[in-house]
Amino acid sequence: AYTRSKGSGKILKQTSYDAALEVSGSIYVAKDIIVGSNQKFEGDQTTKGTTDLCGAVHMYDTLEVDKDASFNGNVVVPNKFKISDNGAEFGSKTSSVTIGYQAGYNSGTQLSPTGSVTIGYQAGYSTTSTDNVIVGLGALSASTGSYNVAIGSKTLGSATSGDSNTGVGFEALRDASTGKGNIALGFRAGYNNEGGLKYAVTTGSYNTFLGPWTSMGTGSDNYSYSTAIGYNANISKSHQIVLGNP
C-alpha cells in the first residue's frame, strides 16, 4: 500500500481490491468507494459519494449515509445507523428486515423469515413463518402462522399456528394460539382474563375487538364471527355484536 499525509490524517491506497480494509480513525471520501472484501471501521465515517461494499461490514461507532449505499454482505452496527434522503432499503424482494436484540432468533440463529419485518427485543423469537409484521417486545413469538400483524409489547405473544391475525396494542390477542382472522385494536384487546372475569381469545376466529379490554365473556374462549366495540365490551357467543359495556 502507498501512503501520504493530509492534515493530521493519512490517505491509504490499496493496490488490491480483495484485501481487507481496517481503519482506526476517521474517513472522509469525496467520491465513490468500491471495496470487494471485508471492512472493519472503529471511528466515524462520512461518505459523500456512492459506496459499494461487497463483504461484511462491522461498525463500532456511528454510520451516517447521505447518498446511495449498496451492501451485498452483512452489516453490523451496534451503535447508531442513520440513513437520510430517500430512506433505507434492505435485501431483495423476498428478504426480511430484522432490527433488535434477538429479534427473529431461534437458538442463537437469526431466522429472517421471508417477506417479514421484525423490530424489537426478542420480537418474532423462534417464529418460523413468513410474511409477518412484528413490532414490539416479545411480539408473535414461536409462531408458525403467516400473514399476521403484531404491533405492541407481547401482542400475539402466544400465537402458535394462527394466521391472518391483526393485533395492535399492549398484549392484544396475546393468547390467540390457533385462532385466525381476528382483529384486535386497543390495550389488551382480545386478551382480558384477569380475575376470571373474561376469557382471552385462543382458538376463536374471525372476531373483531375495538377498544381497551374488549374480549370474550366468561364461559368460552373460542367464539367466532363476533364483534365487541367500546371499553370493556365483551361477547358471550358466536355471531354476536356488542356495543359498549352494559
Side-chain angles (χ1 to χ4, degrees):
Y2 301 96
T3 66
R4 65 182 177 87
S5 298
K6 183 179 181 180
S8 59
K10 292 183 178 180
I11 295 178
L12 303 180
K13 179 181 179 182
Q14 178 57 263
T15 58
S16 173
Y17 288 115
D18 294 327
L21 173 63
E22 296 189 10
V23 180
S24 59
S26 298
I27 298 176
Y28 175 84
V29 181
K31 290 190 176 181
D32 299 345
I33 298 177
I34 300 176
V35 183
S37 187
N38 296 336
Q39 299 80 40
K40 181 187 292 184
F41 302 105
E42 296 180 356
D44 294 341
Q45 288 77 45
T46 301
T47 303
K48 298 297 183 180
T50 298
T51 303
D52 291 318
L53 302 176
C54 301
V57 179
H58 295 268
M59 302 294 302
Y60 297 94
D61 211 307
T62 300
L63 172 64
E64 296 190 10
V65 181
D66 293 320
K67 294 288 185 178
D68 294 335
S70 175
F71 301 98
N72 295 323
N74 295 322
V75 180
V76 179
V77 185
N79 194 358
K80 184 177 70 175
F81 185 52
K82 178 182 178 182
I83 298 179
S84 59
D85 203 358
N86 292 324
E89 180 177 335
F90 298 85
S92 64
K93 294 180 180 179
T94 59
S95 64
S96 298
V97 175
T98 305
I99 301 173
Y101 178 74
Q102 292 187 339
Y105 266 68
N106 183 21
S107 301
T109 301
Q110 190 171 34
L111 300 175
S112 296
T114 299
S116 294
V117 176
T118 307
I119 301 174
Y121 176 85
Q122 291 188 342
Y125 193 89
S126 295
T127 291
T128 58
S129 51
T130 63
D131 302 292
N132 296 301
V133 176
I134 312 167
V135 180
L137 181 151
L140 196 67
S141 299
S143 174
T144 60
S146 298
Y147 315 112
N148 293 293
V149 175
I151 300 177
S153 178
K154 299 180 181 179
T155 299
L156 284 164
S158 299
T160 54
S161 60
D163 55 33
S164 303
N165 293 295
T166 299
V168 179
F170 176 78
E171 291 189 340
L173 290 174
R174 178 176 175 176
D175 280 355
S177 56
T178 60
K180 59 183 179 179
N182 294 294
I183 298 174
L185 305 179
F187 176 85
R188 284 187 170 170
Y191 176 75
N192 185 355
N193 61 353
E194 293 188 357
L197 297 177
K198 296 178 178 64
Y199 278 64
V201 178
T202 58
T203 59
S205 298
Y206 308 111
N207 297 294
T208 300
F209 302 96
L210 303 179
W213 301 100
T214 51
S215 189
M216 296 189 176
T218 57
S220 178
D221 55 4
N222 63 355
Y223 298 134
S224 297
Y225 305 102
S226 291
T227 299
I229 301 175
Y231 171 80
N232 212 28
N234 59 94
I235 59 176
S236 57
K237 60 182 179 181
S238 297
H239 301 281
Q240 181 187 48
I241 297 177
V242 176
L243 300 177
N245 183 25

